[in-house]
Amino acid sequence: MSNVPTLNLSRTGSNQKNPSTPPRCPPIDCTGVQSLHSSDSLFGQTEGKPIMFKLELTLKSLVLKEYALSDGAKLSIGRHSENDIVIKDMSVSRHHATVEVKGQKLLVFDAGSKNGTIVNGTKEKSAELYHGDVVKIGKNCSIKVSVPPPKKKESTITGEHDQVTSTLKTADP
């Protein structure tokens, strides 16, 4: 089994002395899903597939990580180390939920978690997610959904001129 970084939300260590200091969170990795950095563009491609959805994993109001998902991507979320996103919080079940892209749809499925998967304030067993939706996982973590606008189609215009005629050619990529 690979060594998957985890998010530990327990009240131990240096954060116990100063409760106003937010917990230090190690990076959360998602195997098989492209992680975005601030310099990356959402208008690119992931392994040859157009990016269809962006997910922001947050702890309270702090954005921990962003993920770009395209068709076929699937994330498992929970406390257990086998999950793609591991959240060490007792309010998160070992196998809490999955998020996956099927065709043009982003779907979330609760995996029978004790505290449920909350989509826009409503407990759901499964739901289709749209731009602006917020999925709450446990007491402190949430996932915000963004749908980047489609990349504008670009055209190349070339011109030729000779003494007899003038023509304008356009080429679509």
Side-chain angles (χ1 to χ4, degrees):
M1 185 179 339
S2 66
N3 186 8
V4 178
T6 61
L7 172 64
N8 191 344
L9 298 177
S10 64
R11 302 291 286 170
T12 60
S14 63
N15 289 336
Q16 192 172 20
K17 294 176 186 174
N18 186 357
S20 64
T21 304
R24 293 186 182 191
C25 301
I28 298 174
D29 191 21
C30 180
T31 307
V33 177
Q34 177 180 354
S35 172
L36 292 178
H37 302 284
S38 58
S39 62
D40 291 341
S41 170
L42 285 176
F43 307 110
Q45 295 200 349
T46 303
E47 298 173 12
K49 299 177 184 177
I51 296 172
M52 298 169 47
F53 300 99
K54 178 181 121 179
L55 303 179
E56 288 182 349
L57 178 64
T58 61
L59 171 64
K60 301 198 178 189
S61 61
L62 175 67
V63 176
L64 299 175
K65 194 132 185 173
E66 294 180 327
Y67 300 96
L69 282 72
S70 59
D71 190 21
K74 184 175 182 177
L75 294 173
S76 61
I77 304 165
R79 258 188 7 250
H80 197 278
S81 61
E82 290 177 352
N83 290 291
D84 297 312
I85 299 175
V86 178
I87 304 171
K88 293 291 186 187
D89 180 349
M90 291 308 293
S91 65
V92 176
S93 295
R94 287 177 297 202
H95 299 282
H96 196 98
T98 57
V99 176
E100 60 185 276
V101 180
K102 288 187 178 180
Q104 300 291 317
K105 296 180 179 184
L106 179 64
L107 306 167
V108 63
F109 301 97
D110 184 81
S113 65
K114 180 179 179 182
N115 293 319
T117 301
I118 312 300
V119 179
N120 299 325
T122 305
K123 191 173 185 176
E124 300 283 354
K125 290 187 185 275
S126 65
E128 183 173 353
L129 301 175
Y130 300 96
H131 182 77
D133 284 351
V134 176
V135 180
K136 189 154 173 73
I137 304 291
K139 291 181 182 176
N140 299 305
C141 288
S142 61
I143 297 171
K144 183 178 179 186
V145 177
S146 298
V147 180
K151 186 175 180 181
K152 292 181 181 177
K153 190 173 182 181
E154 297 176 3
S155 295
T156 303
I157 300 175
T158 60
E160 293 179 6
H161 180 71
D162 63 26
Q163 293 182 355
V164 180
T165 62
S166 291
T167 59
L168 181 63
K169 296 179 182 178
T170 62
D172 289 329

